[in-house]
mmCIF file of all heavy atoms in Angstrom:
data_model
loop_
_atom_site.group_PDB
_atom_site.id
_atom_site.type_symbol
_atom_site.label_atom_id
_atom_site.label_comp_id
_atom_site.label_asym_id
_atom_site.label_seq_id
_atom_site.Cartn_x
_atom_site.Cartn_y
_atom_site.Cartn_z
ATOM 1 N N GLN A 44 -4.438 -12.382 5.938
ATOM 2 C CA GLN A 44 -5.592 -11.442 5.948
ATOM 3 C C GLN A 44 -5.059 -10.033 5.620
ATOM 4 O O GLN A 44 -5.715 -9.079 5.106
ATOM 5 C CB GLN A 44 -6.325 -11.623 7.121
ATOM 6 C CG GLN A 44 -7.672 -10.700 7.179
ATOM 7 C CD GLN A 44 -8.359 -10.881 8.494
ATOM 8 O OE1 GLN A 44 -8.324 -10.012 9.385
ATOM 9 N NE2 GLN A 44 -9.139 -11.941 8.617
ATOM 10 N N GLN A 45 -3.976 -9.615 6.324
ATOM 11 C CA GLN A 45 -3.371 -8.403 6.230
ATOM 12 C C GLN A 45 -1.828 -8.540 5.980
ATOM 13 O O GLN A 45 -1.206 -9.411 6.635
ATOM 14 C CB GLN A 45 -3.624 -7.648 7.545
ATOM 15 C CG GLN A 45 -4.980 -7.489 7.950
ATOM 16 C CD GLN A 45 -5.203 -7.473 9.507
ATOM 17 O OE1 GLN A 45 -4.434 -6.891 10.141
ATOM 18 N NE2 GLN A 45 -6.306 -8.166 9.975
ATOM 19 N N LYS A 59 -6.556 -13.362 11.544
ATOM 20 C CA LYS A 59 -7.400 -13.362 12.714
ATOM 21 C C LYS A 59 -7.003 -14.502 13.638
ATOM 22 O O LYS A 59 -6.299 -15.362 13.198
ATOM 23 C CB LYS A 59 -8.787 -13.465 12.337
ATOM 24 C CG LYS A 59 -9.372 -14.921 11.747
ATOM 25 C CD LYS A 59 -10.620 -14.795 11.306
ATOM 26 C CE LYS A 59 -11.340 -16.160 11.001
ATOM 27 N NZ LYS A 59 -10.959 -16.719 9.707
ATOM 28 N N PHE A 94 -8.630 -9.652 13.931
ATOM 29 C CA PHE A 94 -9.621 -9.931 12.926
ATOM 30 C C PHE A 94 -10.156 -8.795 12.279
ATOM 31 O O PHE A 94 -10.710 -7.929 13.011
ATOM 32 C CB PHE A 94 -10.685 -10.750 13.589
ATOM 33 C CG PHE A 94 -11.729 -11.406 12.700
ATOM 34 C CD1 PHE A 94 -11.589 -11.351 11.287
ATOM 35 C CD2 PHE A 94 -12.809 -12.066 13.319
ATOM 36 C CE1 PHE A 94 -12.503 -11.969 10.439
ATOM 37 C CE2 PHE A 94 -13.824 -12.613 12.377
ATOM 38 C CZ PHE A 94 -13.626 -12.656 11.054
ATOM 39 N N CYS A 95 -9.798 -8.550 11.093
ATOM 40 C CA CYS A 95 -10.329 -7.415 10.263
ATOM 41 C C CYS A 95 -9.906 -6.162 10.864
ATOM 42 O O CYS A 95 -10.645 -5.184 10.985
ATOM 43 C CB CYS A 95 -11.797 -7.407 9.976
ATOM 44 S SG CYS A 95 -12.408 -8.976 9.174
ATOM 45 N N ALA A 96 -8.635 -6.100 11.288
ATOM 46 C CA ALA A 96 -8.074 -4.745 11.804
ATOM 47 C C ALA A 96 -7.658 -3.912 10.619
ATOM 48 O O ALA A 96 -7.688 -4.447 9.491
ATOM 49 C CB ALA A 96 -6.883 -5.120 12.608
ATOM 50 N N TRP A 164 -14.020 -2.621 14.706
ATOM 51 C CA TRP A 164 -13.822 -3.758 13.923
ATOM 52 C C TRP A 164 -13.974 -3.272 12.388
ATOM 53 O O TRP A 164 -15.050 -2.747 12.056
ATOM 54 C CB TRP A 164 -14.776 -4.888 14.174
ATOM 55 C CG TRP A 164 -14.586 -6.252 13.673
ATOM 56 C CD1 TRP A 164 -13.567 -6.509 12.850
ATOM 57 C CD2 TRP A 164 -15.116 -7.403 13.991
ATOM 58 N NE1 TRP A 164 -13.475 -7.903 12.588
ATOM 59 C CE2 TRP A 164 -14.514 -8.523 13.195
ATOM 60 C CE3 TRP A 164 -16.252 -7.834 14.705
ATOM 61 C CZ2 TRP A 164 -14.816 -9.728 13.276
ATOM 62 C CZ3 TRP A 164 -16.619 -9.043 14.778
ATOM 63 C CH2 TRP A 164 -16.042 -10.170 13.998
ATOM 64 N N TYR A 165 -13.080 -3.433 11.531
ATOM 65 C CA TYR A 165 -12.958 -2.889 10.117
ATOM 66 C C TYR A 165 -12.705 -1.400 10.085
ATOM 67 O O TYR A 165 -13.475 -0.690 9.383
ATOM 68 C CB TYR A 165 -14.325 -3.134 9.397
ATOM 69 C CG TYR A 165 -14.800 -4.578 9.362
ATOM 70 C CD1 TYR A 165 -15.603 -5.116 10.370
ATOM 71 C CD2 TYR A 165 -14.543 -5.400 8.290
ATOM 72 C CE1 TYR A 165 -16.250 -6.407 10.257
ATOM 73 C CE2 TYR A 165 -14.972 -6.727 8.283
ATOM 74 C CZ TYR A 165 -15.819 -7.246 9.183
ATOM 75 O OH TYR A 165 -16.322 -8.377 9.154
ATOM 76 N N GLY A 186 -19.663 -8.894 11.664
ATOM 77 C CA GLY A 186 -20.821 -9.456 10.920
ATOM 78 C C GLY A 186 -20.623 -9.293 9.419
ATOM 79 O O GLY A 186 -19.706 -8.511 9.142
ATOM 80 N N TYR A 222 -14.630 -0.209 6.824
ATOM 81 C CA TYR A 222 -13.521 0.106 6.022
ATOM 82 C C TYR A 222 -13.801 1.227 5.061
ATOM 83 O O TYR A 222 -13.608 1.057 3.797
ATOM 84 C CB TYR A 222 -12.969 -1.093 5.308
ATOM 85 C CG TYR A 222 -12.244 -2.086 6.080
ATOM 86 C CD1 TYR A 222 -12.500 -3.401 6.059
ATOM 87 C CD2 TYR A 222 -11.116 -1.707 6.928
ATOM 88 C CE1 TYR A 222 -11.805 -4.399 6.656
ATOM 89 C CE2 TYR A 222 -10.435 -2.800 7.626
ATOM 90 C CZ TYR A 222 -10.736 -4.069 7.508
ATOM 91 O OH TYR A 222 -10.027 -5.047 8.109
ATOM 92 N N TYR A 264 -16.500 -2.486 1.580
ATOM 93 C CA TYR A 264 -16.732 -3.711 1.953
ATOM 94 C C TYR A 264 -18.252 -4.054 2.387
ATOM 95 O O TYR A 264 -18.809 -3.033 3.000
ATOM 96 C CB TYR A 264 -15.898 -4.016 3.282
ATOM 97 C CG TYR A 264 -16.302 -5.302 4.076
ATOM 98 C CD1 TYR A 264 -15.777 -6.481 3.796
ATOM 99 C CD2 TYR A 264 -17.221 -5.217 5.045
ATOM 100 C CE1 TYR A 264 -16.274 -7.579 4.438
ATOM 101 C CE2 TYR A 264 -17.798 -6.295 5.715
ATOM 102 C CZ TYR A 264 -17.240 -7.419 5.480
ATOM 103 O OH TYR A 264 -17.679 -8.717 6.062
ATOM 104 N N ALA A 358 -17.393 -10.046 -0.743
ATOM 105 C CA ALA A 358 -16.585 -10.454 0.382
ATOM 106 C C ALA A 358 -17.493 -10.908 1.498
ATOM 107 O O ALA A 358 -18.660 -10.844 1.329
ATOM 108 C CB ALA A 358 -15.641 -9.145 0.881
ATOM 109 N N GLY A 359 -16.784 -11.415 2.547
ATOM 110 C CA GLY A 359 -17.574 -11.808 3.819
ATOM 111 C C GLY A 359 -17.799 -13.306 3.793
ATOM 112 O O GLY A 359 -17.704 -14.022 2.787
ATOM 113 N N TYR A 360 -18.160 -13.743 4.949
ATOM 114 C CA TYR A 360 -18.633 -15.195 5.095
ATOM 115 C C TYR A 360 -19.768 -15.321 6.095
ATOM 116 O O TYR A 360 -20.004 -14.401 6.780
ATOM 117 C CB TYR A 360 -17.420 -16.129 5.484
ATOM 118 C CG TYR A 360 -16.849 -15.911 6.915
ATOM 119 C CD1 TYR A 360 -17.650 -16.221 7.997
ATOM 120 C CD2 TYR A 360 -15.693 -15.189 7.044
ATOM 121 C CE1 TYR A 360 -17.151 -16.007 9.226
ATOM 122 C CE2 TYR A 360 -15.215 -14.941 8.424
ATOM 123 C CZ TYR A 360 -15.890 -15.443 9.420
ATOM 124 O OH TYR A 360 -15.369 -15.161 10.686
ATOM 125 N N TYR A 406 -12.161 -13.985 -0.264
ATOM 126 C CA TYR A 406 -12.047 -13.047 0.948
ATOM 127 C C TYR A 406 -10.966 -13.392 1.774
ATOM 128 O O TYR A 406 -10.554 -14.435 2.047
ATOM 129 C CB TYR A 406 -13.384 -13.346 1.626
ATOM 130 C CG TYR A 406 -13.644 -12.397 2.794
ATOM 131 C CD1 TYR A 406 -13.482 -11.060 2.710
ATOM 132 C CD2 TYR A 406 -14.244 -12.794 3.974
ATOM 133 C CE1 TYR A 406 -13.593 -10.070 3.681
ATOM 134 C CE2 TYR A 406 -14.344 -12.042 5.091
ATOM 135 C CZ TYR A 406 -14.130 -10.688 4.898
ATOM 136 O OH TYR A 406 -14.472 -9.772 5.943
ATOM 137 N N HIS A 407 -10.378 -12.233 2.302
ATOM 138 C CA HIS A 407 -9.195 -12.339 3.115
ATOM 139 C C HIS A 407 -7.954 -12.635 2.352
ATOM 140 O O HIS A 407 -7.179 -13.399 2.903
ATOM 141 C CB HIS A 407 -9.502 -13.122 4.347
ATOM 142 C CG HIS A 407 -10.398 -12.523 5.312
ATOM 143 N ND1 HIS A 407 -11.218 -13.220 6.133
ATOM 144 C CD2 HIS A 407 -10.673 -11.198 5.631
ATOM 145 C CE1 HIS A 407 -11.953 -12.429 6.953
ATOM 146 N NE2 HIS A 407 -11.664 -11.263 6.541
ATOM 147 N N ASN A 424 -9.419 -16.775 2.848
ATOM 148 C CA ASN A 424 -9.931 -17.529 3.946
ATOM 149 C C ASN A 424 -11.372 -17.231 4.280
ATOM 150 O O ASN A 424 -11.582 -16.541 5.320
ATOM 151 C CB ASN A 424 -8.975 -17.424 5.134
ATOM 152 C CG ASN A 424 -9.442 -18.332 6.275
ATOM 153 O OD1 ASN A 424 -10.016 -19.324 6.071
ATOM 154 N ND2 ASN A 424 -9.055 -18.077 7.620
ATOM 155 N N THR A 500 -5.255 -5.152 3.022
ATOM 156 C CA THR A 500 -6.388 -5.928 3.600
ATOM 157 C C THR A 500 -7.654 -5.509 2.932
ATOM 158 O O THR A 500 -7.993 -4.376 2.531
ATOM 159 C CB THR A 500 -6.439 -5.815 5.121
ATOM 160 O OG1 THR A 500 -7.285 -6.860 5.634
ATOM 161 C CG2 THR A 500 -7.045 -4.416 5.532
ATOM 162 N N HIS A 501 -8.548 -6.531 2.646
ATOM 163 C CA HIS A 501 -9.935 -6.316 2.140
ATOM 164 C C HIS A 501 -9.905 -5.443 0.974
ATOM 165 O O HIS A 501 -10.776 -4.578 0.875
ATOM 166 C CB HIS A 501 -10.774 -5.731 3.294
ATOM 167 C CG HIS A 501 -10.943 -6.665 4.521
ATOM 168 N ND1 HIS A 501 -10.008 -6.920 5.443
ATOM 169 C CD2 HIS A 501 -12.096 -7.385 4.753
ATOM 170 C CE1 HIS A 501 -10.525 -7.806 6.277
ATOM 171 N NE2 HIS A 501 -11.714 -8.105 5.990
HETATM 172 CU CU1 CU B 1 -12.556 -9.466 7.063
#
Side-chain angles (χ1 to χ4, degrees):
Q44 181 182 101
Q45 303 149 39
K59 68 180 190 283
F94 188 8
C95 303
W164 195 353
Y165 306 89
Y222 282 133
Y264 165 87
Y360 67 75
Y406 185 42
H407 290 150
N424 187 23
T500 194
H501 292 78

